[in-house]
Amino acid sequence: MARSHAKLLEAKNVHVSFGGIQALCGVELSLRTGDILGLIGPNGAGKTTMVNVLTGFQKTKPGAVLLDERNVSSLSATDMARAGIARSFQAARLFRGLSVIENLTVAGLGIGLSKKQAIEQSRDILEWMGLQREADQSCTSLSYSSERRVSIARALALRPSFVLLDEPASGMNDQECENLMEVIVRIPKQIECGVMLIEHNMQVIMGVCHRVHVLDGGRSLAEGPPERIKTDPLVLRAYLGDDASRTNARV
Ligand code: ATP
């Protein structure tokens, strides 16, 4: 079985530039199995670029990505996934010709499970994620919110050591966000992995994360428990500008 047992994912001194734009500059963060880490910041802060670096879609220079102290910076996105780092995308990117359960089963086969094991695993994930009714549905007929949850389920079917979720709540209503939060808090125990969550919805971030790392303009601004981040003056200024110092603002 291709399951990885990595316990620590680290970004060291990450630098990415696009032409003249410094998207990330010296960012350091780490994620352990069992953690739920929120990655937040204003538009253009570098959040998606960070996820791309950690999953092999973008290279850091200088800097490194370490998986249990092994430098994996040069691995392709496919090899990062094999090494145990999975992600969901802002756009769901499902195999649209396949049913929901087939989408998950393909992922299970990809990590070396037998067909029977892959189907069993898919049913199990769909059940605890509350998606069992959608199992045999074609991906083309899913509601927007189900599509986003299936995309997370498919990432989990890779049995990752770490899963990175890029704005999973975007476009969801309050009830759908509540359901999503219930799913996210279960992931570390169900899959024995660490979760990194990029999200603009602060209720989701503050409701599920153990720690929050804040980026602004490609640099790390703050990191800490949600309660502290909510009232951190630097974070408030990044989000609200100078208004933050004139009010009792909270993120
Ligand atoms: P958002 O919350 O709006 O999704 P973000 O925090 O995820 O933003 P990134 O998408 O990582 O931010 O972008 C960081 C910076 O890098 C921005 O200035 C963006 O315009 C720039 N950028 C990102 N990808 C590219 C690219 N492929 N080519 C050029 N510039 C890019």
Side-chain angles (χ1 to χ4, degrees), residues 52 55-59 74-83 85-87 89:
N52 288 342
T55 51
F57 285 84
Q58 178 71 53
K59 300 302 168 201
S74 62
L75 295 188
S76 66
T78 307
D79 286 339
M80 285 291 214
R82 285 201 186 108
I85 308 171
R87 71 179 291 177
F89 291 88

Side-chain angles (χ1 to χ4, degrees), residues 86-89 91-96 98-108 111 121-122 125-126 129 131 139 146-160 163 165 191:
R87 71 179 291 177
S88 71
F89 291 88
R93 296 199 188 187
L94 298 173
F95 300 122
R96 304 194 72 76
L98 302 181
S99 68
V100 167
I101 193 162
E102 285 166 344
N103 263 270
L104 271 68
T105 301
V106 167
I111 58 162
Q121 170 182 270
S122 304
I125 294 172
L126 291 173
M129 286 188 68
L131 284 163
C139 283
S146 298
E147 190 176 278
R148 296 194 74 86
R149 280 187 302 143
V150 171
S151 127
I152 297 172
R154 194 182 55 179
L156 299 182
L158 292 169
R159 295 191 177 197
V163 65
L165 307 177
I191 307 291

